Amino acid sequence: MQNVSQTSQPALVEYLLRLGDNALILGQRHAEWCGHAPALEEEMGLLNVGLDLFGQARHWLGYAAELISAEGGQGEVDADHLAFRRDAQDFRNLLIVEQPNDDFAVTLGRQFLFDAWHYHLLTGLVEAKDPRVAEIAAKSLKEATYHLRRSAEWVRRLGDGTEESHARMQRAIELLWRFTGELTEFDAVDEAMREVGIAPDPEALTASWRATVEQVLDEATLARPPFDAWMYRGGKQGHHTEHLGFLLAEMQALPRAYPDATVW
Amino acid sequence: MSDAMQLIDSDRGGLPPAGAEGDVAAVMAVLQEVLDPEVPAVSVVELGIVREVSWVEGRLSVAVTPTYSGCPATEVIEEAIHRALVTAGYADPRIERRLSPAWTTDWITAEGRDKLRAYGIAPPVGSASKRSLLGAEPQVPCPQCGSLETERVSEFGSTACKALYKCRSCLEPFDYFKCL
């Protein structure tokens, strides 16, 4: 629906969509746990993490929508438009966040691999030259710090737990590993954002993410697959796994059926 | 808003006079009566989310910051603040949402902490440093019996801003307002 390349800051809009879509899609995965979590306390935990992510998505997508709207020609666009009226190929989230919940180990393993990256990315974005990016990052970082503490604790607990929990967490890491290449792969959009002082140094981000992952997996007595393993890629550029379409079908059904509704 | 109010025929007199422009204390007195809908023991002032009271060309403007990015009470709180100010006679107040600097539990006032405890919620322990977010568990005193023999049950409690604890002395479960 929106043509990003027509805005005066196409790279910034792309970058904001990536940040917002990561939070939105992972938040939606968390919402799917509602009524299905292994324990009530963990259900509250999962849904509250999802709620934090939705809040962050609203801030990032809200900023992107302002830039798109200011350009004119596409009418007034807001965060809800971006969340509910785009198709899969318009989404810019990482492949790892759209992967299905599977079991509790996969959900928490996915969360940990993402949190470790999100935490270091946001730490860098707090210093962004764009004040809007810096303030949203500062707000999100507090939440991401807590998320990382929780997900790392679960990886350790399950990895260094029973034979069954260890096997499940090891399976989760191996299942998800092929989607982690994107976390440390940087393209022209990242480069443009780094040049204007928004995105952090990619090499430093890669080193920090790898150090956190190595440390926690080691403490969890889990085997770490090689960083140079074969990796899937393309989510950031809009090439997704088949799972995203199904996720969007559920997430967008109501607002697409009643696009003018203000109360559901 | 004032025009609309005049359409209502009433023998109860008009709106109370609003505080004078620049009278921040009068505005804060009104906001002191606006309670957090999720923790109705503390006001928005005691919670530390009212960041600035100012007047722009005669129009009252109140800056409010959300506790968490996804706090579902944000809109409800902004509406409650708006309603309280209009009821107190401030015509068309502006409520500005401000993200920066990000809210911290350090801004919860001493009275707010006492009220939380009396309500059965353990107030945040210590100050919101990176250490408290990443590091070791804080020692959280039970809001019921004061015992330090407590343990965390879950990282999240009834809302995003709280964790679930239980007291090993009096066996009561309780919410802990997390340090952020």
Side-chain angles (χ1 to χ4, degrees), chain B residues 27 43 45-46 56 67 93 113 134 140 142 151 159-160 162 172:
Chain B
V27 174
S43 77
V45 174
E46 289 160 341
V56 180
T67 52
R113 284 162 199 264
L134 272 176
V140 181
C142 171
E151 65 179 285
T159 64
K162 286 172 265 163
E172 282 288 323

Side-chain angles (χ1 to χ4, degrees), chain B residues 55-153:
Chain B
W55 280 261
V56 180
E57 291 171 4
R59 184 185 177 195
L60 173 62
S61 176
V62 175
V64 182
T65 195
T67 52
Y68 281 73
S69 296
C71 180
T74 304
E75 277 85 10
V76 180
I77 289 173
E78 289 172 359
E79 282 169 22
I81 289 175
H82 189 272
R83 198 180 315 119
L85 290 170
V86 169
T87 307
Y90 294 93
D92 195 21
R94 181 168 167 269
I95 314 298
E96 179 208 342
R97 193 177 303 176
R98 188 177 291 181
L99 276 190
S100 181
W103 180 78
T104 159
T105 42
D106 293 351
W107 293 344
I108 301 178
T109 63
E111 300 78 43
R113 284 162 199 264
D114 290 341
K115 288 181 183 175
L116 281 174
R117 204 175 292 112
Y119 191 69
I121 298 171
V125 175
S127 101
S129 63
K130 212 169 195 175
R131 191 189 172 87
S132 67
L133 279 170
L134 272 176
E137 295 285 296
Q139 255 197 330
V140 181
C142 171
Q144 308 290 345
C145 71
S147 166
L148 283 171
E149 294 292 310
T150 61
E151 65 179 285
R152 198 187 66 209
V153 178

Side-chain angles (χ1 to χ4, degrees), chain A residues 115-136:
Chain A
D115 285 343
W117 175 82
H118 202 208
Y119 169 80
H120 292 298
L121 172 67
L122 291 171
T123 302
L125 288 177
V126 168
E127 311 291 332
K129 293 249 166 35
D130 181 313
R132 281 285 293 279
V133 170
E135 73 174 15
I136 298 171

Side-chain angles (χ1 to χ4, degrees), chain A residues 189-234:
Chain A
V189 171
D190 296 300
E191 180 55 23
M193 287 297 95
R194 199 191 57 75
E195 275 172 13
V196 295
I198 290 179
D201 174 41
E203 282 172 23
L205 176 58
T206 300
S208 306
W209 176 78
R210 287 182 174 179
T212 302
V213 168
E214 280 196 296
Q215 188 199 330
V216 173
L217 293 189
D218 185 54
E219 288 166 355
T221 71
L222 293 164
R224 177 182 60 73
F227 287 121
D228 61 356
W230 190 85
M231 298 285 180
Y232 281 86
R233 47 180 57 92

Side-chain angles (χ1 to χ4, degrees), chain B residues 7-23:
Chain B
L7 294 176
I8 300 170
D9 188 22
S10 166
D11 58 1
R12 284 181 288 176
L15 290 166
E21 180 171 339
D23 189 349

